[in-house]
Amino acid sequence: MSLPVAPLEVSQGGMEVVPQQQMGGGQMSLSVLIEMLVQKTYHELTILAELLPRKTDMERKIEIFNFASRTRMLFVRLLGLVKWASSASKVEKCSNIVMFLEKQSGMFLDTANQLAGMSRETLVRATLPNFHLPAAAEILTTGTYSRLPRCISERIIPPSAITPVERRTTLLRLNQVIENRLVSSNIPLQMRNLVVADGTVTFTVKLEFSCKLTVLGDSLTQPWTLLGVDMLVEDRETGQGKALMHSMQVGYVRGLAQSRLVESSQPLDDLYSVLHSLAQLLQLEVLHTQVVRLCQDRLGMYIRVEEYILGRALTISYWRELASKDPVQEAGWRLSVQVDPHDPARPLMVVHTPALTLKEAELAERSIRTERLSVESLLVHTIYVRTRARLTELKTLVQKRLKLGGVEATLHGSPAVLSIPILQPCLRSEQLLVSVDTHTGIFLGHVPQYPTNPFSPQIQNCLNTDQTQLETLVTELRYWITARRIEKTLQQLPATPFEQLPLVYDLKTHPLSKLGRHKMFIKLHKQPSTVLVVEFIEKTDRECEIQYSFYYLLTKPCSIEDDPVDDSITKEIPRVYMKALGMVEFDPFLVTHGSTTKVDVQELSEKIIGKRKPGGKVEAPIKRTRFPAYFISDLAHVVSFADERIPFTSLEQELARQGVSHTGTSVETNGVGLAIKIVQFPTVPGLQQREEKLFSSRLLSATIRLSRNPLSMWVVEWLLCGSPLNSTQSMGKPLYSQFKLENLADCEKTVVSLVGEWNSMAHLHSLVREYSRYSRVVDLVTIQSYNYRNIVLEYGPGQIYSATITWSVSSSSFSLTFGGSGAAAGMNPHCIMKSQLEINLNKERSLALLGRILQETVGPVRSLSRLPCTPHKWMSTNSQQRNTAIQTFSVLPQSPTHVKVMFYNIHCVDVHIRADGLVSIRDGSFSMFDQTKVLTDLEPIRGFKAFLYKYVDEAALARRTSQTEDDNPPSPLTMEQDQTGLKFAPPLTPPSNPLTPVSPHGQQSTFLQSPPTHRQPSASPAPSPGLFPIPSPLPAGSPFTAASPLGGGSPRPRPSPRHPGSSPNPSAALPPSSHQTPSRILPQRLWAAAIPTPLTTKAFDELCRPSSLPGSSSCGLVSPLHRFLGCVFMRRQLQHIIKSEEYLTNLDTREPSVIAFKVESLQCKVSINPDNSFQSLHLKVAPDDPSQWQSDQLLIIQKFFDAKVVAPPYRPTFLSGFCRLLHCPQETLKNIVQLMKYEVLPELVVQNKLKWAVSLCLTIPPVAPNVFPVGQAGIIGNKEKILIFMQLTRANVQLPPGQEPLSVVVPVIYNISQNQTILASLQKELNNPSLHAVQSHLTSWARSNPPTMGRCSILPAIHDLLMNLTLPNEGPAYSGPVQMQSMM
């Protein structure tokens, strides 16, 4: 027989799971070790929890610290062990092997020993017993064994239990025996709460003990048997719910009580005596323990155990601080919990010193008659009773000494608080609250609303010491609270209260010196020189009520050194003081019952049935408004009265001073407020007396009122009768004007604004009257609205533009505001001519003329507003102005119909807007008085006359001329008089600079068709009678002519008398097309453009409207005028570059308007194209040796020049960069031309499936602004190196809508001598990842493709870059086969 061998169990980590103590290695499982440490820590915590509550605070802290230190060190060692074990894997493996082998060896040895012992000792005597079959059969069949020996059955086997019926019968019989014994025994009165059940009797004495007795027989001499005792005394505050007696003590008590039951003749009396004495001892011990704990924790300074007799009495003293101050109470305040000396069987009793009344003592003793025995509750009840007693005595004293009258102080709350109302009426938060400190017994006084008032501490000190000053301190507190009430009343009013002000006055004679000590000064916000003085005193015999007096004090700023007698003697120092002038007392009854307040005094009959109206209706009785106690309604009425009346009084004086007649301040109907009615305004300056009278006749009334919601504003109500625009004289809706309520010193501003408002309405009324006269017979611009304050005109196509005319009081002139609606909501074109139109309106004072000007000029001005005004740098040939931004077009209005348009501050175009839809244009660089003289800083516009004649519509001009000449026969003027073409005289002084606008206050400027003669044109020729049947609304100086737009009836330029033959001969009329070139001989002289050229507004709009140029390779929308001036500007810049650069050679040519120059082996000719109205420049390149160049290469250069060089924004640096490009060596230039081909023909990028598209930068982009200025020529080089900026843009990729393709600017340097193409290092560190990728790509290409003599490396390097460059953030790539030979 073999014994099973225990298997070896190995954990997942390879560590053997062994029993807690193994042989050999002496190892232990980590989990077992951790469990042991946790169990040890938990055991120590359990011991601490049981022992610490019975120790002092310092001992508890020491034990907790020692426990924390031991536990920390223990777990620190465990942490070190775990860290070592996790790192000792090799030792662990070896240890496991050794342990395994040792255990295996031990098992083999033990198995061999056991087998040997079994074979030698155990199995030698091993025999089977003879089985007892009868006993087995009996047990299996009956379940019992009857053959057990008697010695065993009688001594070991217990007798059979009685049945439940027998048990119930026995217990009922036992209950009867106990009841019989109780009837015959003497039971103490306290133990008569008993229960007999289950053969026992249970006696319960509430809050003391409970015991269970029985008898062991029915004999009367059989003593009581005590089954159990339960003490009902508990300590729930400090005992933590644990039993007060140990089990051994309980056993001793049971033994003692049982002995008394056996030996005594009165067993139940003795039992009660023992247990009752024990219960009282426990109660006193619990109370003593709680007192000691209270002294240690919280109340050691306030209570003390005076005497403790074990099991007899416990005496506690409290309010010891009060006892030390009160000589009457030498024994102090004490309470003693003790056993009744007369009847020890009664419960514990409480004795108070000093003695309490019977009712108060019963209230205090309730705390120890509860299940929760607490000495703190006993102290609280006792101190509460003491507190109410002290406050009751104080209440009687206060009621008598403070003379509260009908107001009574109240005592309420727990802890008890005495509330003393010191004012009438008085809020609960304003009452003086007096309580007793439960710890010390002293009085505490405070006011809840004002916890930091200075008098509460003094009153408290007075109550606890000498009470003689109580009345005085309460009076001061009453005055102090009244001052705070005044401050609260004024919180929402425009006034600030002060207890003191720096007032200077005579202490002997001034009324201020007669006022009492208790007063407040109130400064009104709107009237800084006004001060209201409020004096408040107690009423006689009713000290709780306050009587107020109000005074009005007028002051003025002064210094401390001013003469108090002579006001004219002042010192020049800061005036920080206020000199008190006169003072007047207010009558509160008159203020609160004035004309603007509702009287609340009624007769007795009205109070009962209400006030009867004449119609038989009865008004309800007036309900008096109830205000909170802190709100002084009379003060609020006085402040409001002063704040409202003073501004009206000051305004009356200022109105009279400025000549405005008025009726004075009066109360409006039904007492709704105050108002001042204006009777007459002063004379309106700058307005005719007749116009002023007409407008004054329309004024029915002007009423000034003061509005307080939400801000204080003067509101003027204007009632005007009718309007000049209609014939009815009915009263319209009232108009309202608002003016800021100024201070008294600044009241003049209000009157000035009011008079200015009147002047504004009068001036605008005169404009509308003048307009209404002419509107009856002719069509004028529509007045959209007129409300006496502004006039809104609507004009333009579809009435989408508006002009608002107002009168500026500050400048005493009309002002214009332009706006629009619908499509014109963004911008009104007349904004650029705002100043000129305002000057014209103020000069002519004609609304009809202004409307005519706006209607006639809206088209040309809208066309001018389309010209771009973008600023650009490097646009000037002057080196000092190259870095200055210059606008493309600068529109400089000279008058409402005359505008100068500057192009890059070099060329000037004079635009005159004429009537009947015509515009005259000339070269503004020529003087208007000497056409051969060019103004300073300006350049003539070459070919400007020919360009303008491309847009002349002869047919339209002929129609306008014939219509005008039919209506208005030409006046017999000389040729000199007829040259003006305008109906106003030229300026008296010609402008010296075109950038300086002509003064619009003089005569209107004009163009001269020829140089001036000795005779000036008429300043104001008579208007045509055919335009208006009544006197013309257009006064002298009108900018429009009613006759021929050119004055002489013909739009053609006339020969000058000073220069005969200089003007071309007139030719036949042209067809209506405005773009066909008229067959006329142009002047040969440069100043031919100084002669005005008439255009229709449609042609002028086409001249300024951005459009595309047919047949041009440049993209974008540019106006024809912009293109033409750009071409003239670029031709001039090209001439300057040819003269300044040494590598360019100027070539003479006989072709007109052609610039020829030579660079390297190429001859270039730049000419302006007349086929597209002179709006583009073209380059023609011819090599010296045609065999060196292919025709397509020259064509690419020409196309690149047309599309990229002479294109908007027409930068001179484009030309400089292009010329430097042509200056490159021939082989280098050919390579660059091949790169140009990708830019000129973008379809090649798609055909060749290039990854990147290339564009040459003719100006330097903002790559390295510290090295090269932005905007300079983008091609920089010398004989050895060339710097070229290229922009690479991602191509042949599908992008989401709205996303721009990725692009990068690459500065490339080509080394001519070494034939190397590298990336230029413009910065010290290459921080740009894109440029870093380009540099890496070019470096790797240069390593794999060494330089070849005779072949430039620019094109192969850049082409490889366009094919294979990969940037870090470029996105998806596109690859495809490329044929390099197609580009070579």
Side-chain angles (χ1 to χ4, degrees):
M1 183 176 180
S2 60
L3 294 175
V5 180
L8 295 177
E9 298 178 359
V10 181
S11 64
Q12 294 180 359
M15 181 177 178
E16 181 183 355
V17 180
V18 297
Q20 186 171 354
Q21 182 65 35
Q22 296 183 0
M23 59 183 179
Q27 291 189 349
M28 178 179 289
S29 173
L30 182 61
S31 60
V32 175
L33 181 60
I34 295 176
E35 184 177 0
M36 290 176 60
L37 294 181
V38 172
Q39 290 292 341
K40 182 176 183 300
T41 305
Y42 177 75
H43 178 67
E44 292 181 355
L45 275 176
T46 305
I47 296 175
L48 283 177
E50 294 180 355
L51 298 180
L52 286 184
R54 308 184 185 278
K55 296 184 179 181
T56 62
D57 183 65
M58 182 56 66
E59 292 175 348
R60 287 199 299 268
K61 291 180 180 178
I62 294 174
E63 290 295 333
I64 292 173
F65 176 79
N66 293 334
F67 166 75
S69 178
R70 291 195 308 272
T71 307
R72 180 179 178 276
M73 293 302 300
L74 191 63
F75 279 94
V76 166
R77 294 172 183 172
L78 177 62
L79 179 62
L81 178 63
V82 171
K83 289 185 177 180
W84 176 85
S86 62
S87 62
S89 58
K90 295 181 180 180
V91 176
E92 182 183 4
K93 291 179 181 179
C94 295
S95 176
N96 289 339
I97 295 173
V98 172
M99 289 291 298
F100 177 78
L101 295 177
E102 288 183 355
K103 184 175 181 179
Q104 190 179 43
S105 175
M107 285 186 176
F108 288 160
L109 182 61
D110 183 58
T111 302
N113 292 335
Q114 289 185 10
L115 290 176
M118 290 174 63
S119 62
R120 296 174 184 174
E121 299 176 2
T122 306
L123 297 180
V124 173
R125 295 188 297 269
T127 58
L128 292 175
N130 295 324
F131 297 106
H132 198 285
L133 295 179
E138 183 181 4
I139 293 172
L140 291 176
T141 55
T142 63
T144 60
Y145 184 61
S146 60
R147 295 175 176 84
L148 193 66
R150 292 180 60 183
C151 63
I152 296 177
S153 61
E154 292 178 356
R155 295 182 180 181
I156 298 177
I157 298 178
S160 300
I162 63 176
T163 62
V165 177
E166 294 175 344
R167 183 184 299 111
R168 185 164 51 252
T169 304
T170 303
L171 291 178
L172 288 176
R173 177 60 182 165
L174 187 57
N175 289 343
Q176 295 174 357
V177 172
I178 292 174
E179 291 175 356
N180 183 42
R181 290 286 297 271
L182 290 176
V183 171
S184 61
S185 301
N186 184 19
I187 303 176
L189 183 63
Q190 292 82 0
M191 292 181 61
R192 293 188 178 182
N193 182 14
L194 54 90
V195 176
V196 178
D198 297 333
T200 61
V201 57
T202 303
F203 296 95
T204 302
V205 179
K206 188 177 180 181
L207 303 179
E208 292 188 6
F209 62 90
S210 174
C211 61
K212 183 179 292 187
L213 303 177
T214 187
V215 291
L216 302 181
D218 54 357
S219 174
L220 295 178
T221 59
Q222 183 71 28
W224 290 95
T225 301
L226 181 62
L227 299 180
V229 177
D230 186 11
M231 301 305 297
L232 302 182
V233 181
E234 295 181 355
D235 184 6
R236 298 187 181 183
E237 293 189 359
T238 59
Q240 300 178 356
K242 297 181 180 180
L244 297 179
M245 297 176 62
H246 195 267
S247 58
M248 296 179 66
Q249 294 175 334
V250 174
Y252 172 77
V253 171
R254 287 182 59 184
L256 178 62
Q258 183 63 47
S259 64
R260 294 293 181 92
L261 289 175
V262 173
E263 298 175 356
S264 176
S265 60
Q266 298 291 333
L268 295 182
D269 290 338
D270 289 348
L271 175 64
Y272 173 74
S273 177
V274 171
L275 296 181
H276 174 68
S277 300
L278 177 61
Q280 289 184 335
L281 185 146
L282 291 177
Q283 289 176 348
L284 290 175
E285 183 66 24
V286 168
L287 293 177
H288 179 260
T289 305
Q290 292 179 355
V291 171
V292 172
R293 180 62 58 88
L294 279 177
C295 293
Q296 292 177 353
D297 294 346
R298 292 179 291 150
L299 305 179
M301 298 176 60
Y302 308 108
I303 63 175
R304 184 171 62 188
V305 178
E306 298 292 338
E307 183 182 14
Y308 176 56
I309 302 174
L310 184 63
R312 300 301 300 170
L314 173 64
T315 304
I316 305 171
S317 63
Y318 57 94
W319 287 3
R320 292 185 293 131
E321 181 179 352
L322 182 61
S324 62
K325 297 180 180 179
D326 192 355
V328 179
Q329 298 293 339
E330 296 181 356
W333 278 264
R334 299 184 180 186
L335 63 89
S336 177
V337 183
Q338 59 187 5
V339 178
D340 193 341
H342 305 290
D343 187 4
R346 297 184 59 187
L348 294 176
M349 62 180 298
V350 181
V351 179
H352 296 274
T353 304
L356 296 176
T357 63
L358 182 61
K359 185 177 180 181
E360 292 174 344
E362 291 179 356
L363 180 62
E365 291 180 8
R366 289 179 186 175
S367 57
I368 61 172
R369 299 289 185 263
T370 60
E371 296 181 358
R372 186 185 184 96
L373 189 62
S374 172
V375 73
E376 187 172 3
S377 177
L378 176 61
L379 287 171
V380 168
H381 283 74
T382 303
I383 292 175
Y384 170 72
V385 172
R386 293 289 188 187
T387 300
R388 288 191 64 90
R390 293 203 69 194
L391 292 178
T392 303
E393 295 175 2
L394 180 63
K395 175 183 175 182
T396 305
L397 176 66
V398 166
Q399 195 78 27
K400 180 179 179 181
R401 294 183 59 179
L402 297 185
K403 300 179 182 180
L404 299 181
V407 182
E408 184 177 357
T410 58
L411 182 60
H412 55 84
S414 176
V417 177
L418 178 63
S419 300
I420 306 173
I422 60 175
L423 283 170
Q424 181 63 27
C426 187
L427 294 176
R428 293 184 60 183
S429 60
E430 292 179 338
Q431 294 178 352
L432 176 61
L433 303 184
V434 180
S435 60
V436 176
D437 190 349
T438 56
H439 292 162
T440 61
I442 64 175
F443 287 112
L444 301 177
H446 79 290
V447 180
Q449 183 70 27
Y450 310 104
T452 59
N453 72 86
F455 298 100
S456 292
Q458 299 179 28
I459 294 176
Q460 177 178 321
N461 187 33
C462 177
L463 290 174
N464 291 299
T465 55
D466 187 9
Q467 298 181 357
T468 56
Q469 297 293 326
L470 181 61
E471 294 88 344
T472 304
L473 293 176
V474 171
T475 300
E476 293 298 328
L477 177 61
R478 186 179 293 124
Y479 286 139
W480 190 88
I481 294 178
T482 303
R484 304 292 79 76
R485 285 185 172 185
I486 293 176
E487 294 176 355
K488 283 190 176 182
T489 304
L490 299 178
Q491 279 182 351
Q492 305 300 327
L493 296 176
T496 303
F498 297 92
E499 294 186 359
Q500 293 180 350
L501 282 179
L503 293 173
V504 178
Y505 58 91
D506 191 353
L507 297 177
K508 297 180 179 180
T509 60
H510 200 276
L512 268 178
S513 60
K514 301 178 182 179
L515 298 182
R517 184 168 58 91
H518 302 286
K519 55 182 177 292
M520 293 282 287
F521 301 95
I522 301 173
K523 293 185 66 176
L524 302 180
H525 294 172
K526 296 299 182 180
Q527 293 82 31
S529 61
T530 301
V531 177
L532 294 180
V533 183
V534 182
E535 181 187 17
F536 42 92
I537 59 175
E538 295 176 341
K539 291 185 178 180
T540 307
D541 297 333
R542 287 185 297 176
E543 285 81 359
C544 290
E545 298 183 16
I546 300 296
Q547 181 178 356
Y548 300 94
S549 301
F550 305 98
Y551 301 90
Y552 174 81
L553 177 64
L554 185 63
T555 64
K556 72 172 184 178
C558 69
S559 63
I560 193 63
E561 297 185 3
D562 289 349
D563 194 334
V565 179
D566 190 356
D567 295 340
S568 61
I569 303 177
T570 59
K571 301 295 182 179
E572 294 297 332
I573 61 176
R575 300 186 174 185
V576 296
Y577 294 91
M578 304 169 63
K579 183 176 182 180
L581 302 178
M583 189 173 74
V584 180
E585 183 178 2
F586 279 118
D587 188 346
F589 182 82
L590 294 179
V591 172
T592 56
H593 298 76
S595 57
T596 57
T597 57
K598 195 168 185 179
V599 181
D600 57 358
V601 178
Q602 294 179 317
E603 296 180 359
L604 180 60
S605 60
E606 292 181 359
K607 291 183 179 180
I608 299 174
I609 64 174
K611 186 177 180 181
R612 185 175 298 277
K613 284 189 174 181
K617 297 182 180 180
V618 177
E619 286 186 352
I622 298 175
K623 295 182 179 179
R624 184 177 180 88
T625 306
R626 295 181 62 87
F627 298 104
Y630 65 85
F631 186 81
I632 307 172
S633 59
D634 289 351
L635 174 62
H637 276 91
V638 169
V639 172
S640 300
F641 173 80
D643 191 58
E644 186 174 10
R645 278 286 185 174
I646 293 174
F648 278 96
T649 304
S650 302
L651 186 62
E652 289 178 14
Q653 297 175 358
E654 189 61 32
L655 286 173
R657 193 182 66 82
Q658 297 194 23
V660 181
S661 303
H662 57 86
T663 60
T665 305
S666 60
V667 181
E668 295 195 90
T669 307
N670 299 326
V672 296
L674 304 178
I676 299 177
K677 293 185 179 295
I678 305 298
V679 177
Q680 185 178 3
F681 283 93
T683 304
V684 180
L687 190 64
Q688 298 179 3
Q689 186 177 4
R690 180 174 177 273
E691 293 289 341
E692 183 180 353
K693 289 183 177 180
L694 289 174
F695 179 65
S696 299
S697 63
R698 292 186 181 275
L699 180 64
L700 300 180
S701 68
T703 307
I704 304 175
R705 299 182 180 90
L706 187 59
S707 173
R708 297 288 188 178
N709 188 19
L711 301 176
S712 298
M713 303 289 291
W714 290 111
V715 179
V716 182
E717 181 186 49
W718 308 88
L719 288 179
L720 297 167
C721 177
S723 172
L725 296 178
N726 50 50
S727 58
T728 61
Q729 297 298 322
S730 60
M731 183 180 67
K733 295 182 179 180
L735 302 178
Y736 294 95
S737 302
Q738 291 186 350
F739 304 98
K740 182 181 178 182
L741 178 61
E742 303 288 350
N743 298 330
L744 295 182
D746 298 331
C747 191
E748 180 183 0
K749 297 179 181 179
T750 303
V751 180
V752 170
S753 301
L754 175 62
V755 175
E757 182 83 3
W758 168 259
N759 296 342
S760 172
M761 292 192 293
H763 283 286
L764 292 177
H765 181 267
S766 65
L767 287 184
V768 177
R769 281 196 66 258
E770 182 267 346
Y771 172 88
S772 63
R773 277 187 322 179
Y774 297 111
S775 64
R776 301 168 187 164
V777 294
V778 293
D779 292 334
L780 298 177
V781 175
T782 306
I783 293 183
Q784 192 269 337
S785 67
Y786 167 60
N787 59 1
Y788 289 96
R789 292 194 186 94
N790 56 56
I791 308 170
V792 181
L793 302 179
E794 287 186 343
Y795 62 95
Q799 309 294 319
I800 61 175
Y801 299 111
S802 64
T804 304
I805 300 99
T806 56
W807 176 264
S808 175
V809 180
S810 58
S811 61
S812 297
S813 61
F814 293 105
S815 61
L816 295 174
T817 304
F818 296 98
S821 61
M827 179 64 180
N828 190 314
H830 277 110
C831 291
I832 61 177
M833 308 183 70
K834 179 177 181 294
S835 300
Q836 286 69 26
L837 290 171
E838 287 179 350
I839 294 172
N840 179 269
L841 176 61
N842 286 284
K843 177 184 177 183
E844 304 296 340
R845 299 183 66 89
S846 174
L847 193 62
L849 176 60
L850 175 65
R852 181 69 181 276
I853 293 175
L854 293 176
Q855 190 67 30
E856 292 287 350
T857 60
V858 63
V861 175
R862 183 174 55 184
S863 302
L864 289 173
S865 64
R866 292 192 177 100
L867 297 176
C869 57
T870 308
H872 298 282
K873 291 185 177 181
W874 292 82
M875 303 302 296
S876 176
T877 56
N878 189 352
S879 59
Q880 298 179 354
Q881 299 181 357
R882 287 182 178 178
N883 204 28
T884 303
I886 302 177
Q887 288 186 354
T888 307
F889 283 95
S890 301
V891 180
L892 306 175
Q894 308 295 302
S895 73
T897 58
H898 179 201
V899 179
K900 287 182 178 291
V901 181
M902 304 294 297
F903 182 74
Y904 286 138
N905 288 355
I906 294 179
H907 301 298
C908 178
V909 178
D910 253 343
V911 180
H912 271 267
I913 304 172
R914 299 178 179 272
D916 299 328
L918 294 179
V919 178
S920 296
I921 305 177
R922 66 183 290 271
D923 188 351
S925 60
F926 293 98
S927 172
M928 292 193 302
F929 303 99
D930 187 357
Q931 296 179 355
T932 61
K933 182 179 178 181
V934 180
L935 299 179
T936 309
D937 296 334
L938 294 179
E939 292 292 335
I941 306 174
R942 296 182 179 274
F944 190 43
K945 193 74 173 180
F947 168 72
L948 292 178
Y949 267 101
K950 295 286 185 178
Y951 292 88
V952 173
D953 188 353
E954 294 286 354
L957 293 176
R959 286 196 300 271
R960 286 180 171 84
T961 303
S962 62
Q963 180 181 0
T964 306
E965 290 178 351
D966 293 342
D967 296 338
N968 307 299
S971 58
L973 299 176
T974 62
M975 183 170 294
E976 290 80 359
Q977 292 172 318
D978 193 37
Q979 297 300 318
T980 62
L982 296 176
K983 299 186 66 179
F984 51 92
L988 300 178
T989 304
S992 60
N993 194 323
L995 302 180
T996 304
V998 179
S999 174
H1001 295 285
Q1003 296 290 335
Q1004 297 289 334
S1005 62
T1006 182
F1007 291 116
L1008 292 180
Q1009 300 288 353
S1010 59
T1013 62
H1014 63 281
R1015 183 177 179 180
Q1016 294 292 338
S1018 174
S1020 56
S1024 171
L1027 184 61
F1028 299 113
I1030 63 173
S1032 173
L1034 308 180
S1038 169
F1040 300 114
T1041 175
S1044 170
L1046 294 181
S1050 174
R1052 303 180 183 89
R1054 299 179 180 272
S1056 172
R1058 182 175 296 182
H1059 302 282
S1062 61
S1063 298
N1065 295 326
S1067 61
L1070 293 176
S1073 174
S1074 62
H1075 294 286
Q1076 295 183 358
T1077 305
S1079 59
R1080 59 176 73 243
I1081 301 175
L1082 299 179
Q1084 298 298 324
R1085 295 184 180 271
L1086 184 62
W1087 48 264
I1091 303 173
T1093 303
L1095 296 179
T1096 63
T1097 55
K1098 180 180 179 181
F1100 183 70
D1101 184 70
E1102 186 177 355
L1103 194 68
C1104 300
R1105 182 188 297 273
S1107 60
S1108 59
L1109 184 62
S1112 175
S1113 57
S1114 61
C1115 59
L1117 299 178
V1118 183
S1119 64
L1121 180 62
H1122 189 184
R1123 282 193 289 263
F1124 171 75
L1125 293 178
C1127 292
V1128 174
F1129 176 74
M1130 295 296 279
R1131 290 180 74 253
R1132 181 177 177 275
Q1133 297 298 326
L1134 181 59
Q1135 292 175 347
H1136 177 76
I1137 292 172
I1138 294 173
K1139 292 179 182 179
S1140 59
E1141 299 293 346
E1142 297 179 355
Y1143 59 85
L1144 299 178
T1145 305
N1146 188 23
L1147 300 179
D1148 295 333
T1149 176
R1150 296 182 179 180
E1151 301 179 24
S1153 302
V1154 175
I1155 301 175
F1157 62 94
K1158 183 178 181 181
V1159 52
E1160 293 295 329
S1161 61
L1162 299 177
Q1163 295 183 4
C1164 304
K1165 292 183 179 181
V1166 178
S1167 60
I1168 192 167
N1169 187 5
D1171 296 334
N1172 55 9
S1173 302
F1174 310 99
Q1175 298 180 30
S1176 63
L1177 293 177
H1178 296 283
L1179 173 67
K1180 186 175 182 181
V1181 182
D1184 294 342
D1185 186 2
S1187 61
Q1188 298 293 329
W1189 289 86
Q1190 299 179 6
S1191 58
D1192 59 340
Q1193 294 177 341
L1194 300 178
L1195 184 61
I1196 291 298
I1197 295 176
Q1198 295 174 177
K1199 286 185 176 181
F1200 184 81
F1201 179 84
D1202 296 347
K1204 303 297 179 182
V1205 180
V1206 287
Y1210 300 105
R1211 293 180 181 272
T1213 52
F1214 287 178
L1215 291 172
S1216 300
F1218 182 76
C1219 293
R1220 293 177 184 178
L1221 203 61
L1222 297 179
H1223 182 56
C1224 296
Q1226 182 174 339
E1227 188 64 25
T1228 304
L1229 180 59
K1230 288 182 179 181
N1231 278 253
I1232 297 176
V1233 168
Q1234 294 298 326
L1235 296 178
M1236 289 181 185
K1237 195 171 184 179
Y1238 291 121
E1239 186 174 1
V1240 176
L1241 303 174
E1243 60 271 11
L1244 294 178
V1245 178
V1246 181
Q1247 294 176 5
N1248 292 284
K1249 298 181 180 180
L1250 297 180
K1251 188 176 179 181
W1252 298 87
V1254 64
S1255 176
L1256 297 180
C1257 300
L1258 296 178
T1259 58
I1260 296 178
V1263 178
N1266 298 329
V1267 182
F1268 297 102
V1270 178
Q1272 192 178 352
I1275 311 297
I1276 303 174
N1278 50 26
K1279 296 182 180 180
E1280 296 182 357
K1281 295 181 181 180
I1282 301 175
L1283 173 62
I1284 305 174
F1285 289 88
M1286 301 179 184
Q1287 182 177 2
L1288 306 184
T1289 306
R1290 191 73 167 86
N1292 295 327
V1293 291
Q1294 295 293 333
L1295 296 175
Q1299 181 178 350
E1300 296 292 333
L1302 181 65
S1303 63
V1304 59
V1305 176
V1306 180
V1308 176
I1309 290 182
Y1310 174 65
N1311 194 320
I1312 301 175
S1313 59
Q1314 299 179 4
N1315 193 17
Q1316 289 183 354
T1317 302
I1318 59 176
L1319 181 71
S1321 299
L1322 302 181
Q1323 299 178 356
K1324 294 181 179 180
E1325 297 181 2
L1326 196 61
N1327 297 325
N1328 193 329
S1330 300
L1331 294 181
H1332 192 276
V1334 173
Q1335 184 181 31
S1336 302
H1337 188 92
L1338 291 178
T1339 303
S1340 61
W1341 183 89
R1343 286 197 300 265
S1344 58
N1345 298 274
T1348 304
M1349 297 301 296
R1351 181 182 179 185
C1352 182
S1353 64
I1354 291 182
L1355 180 60
I1358 301 301
H1359 187 272
D1360 184 76
L1361 199 66
L1362 299 180
M1363 283 296 303
N1364 304 317
L1365 174 63
T1366 300
L1367 297 182
N1369 55 346
E1370 69 176 46
Y1374 183 88
S1375 61
V1378 179
Q1379 297 178 0
M1380 182 64 186
Q1381 296 178 356
S1382 63
M1383 299 304 302
M1384 298 303 294

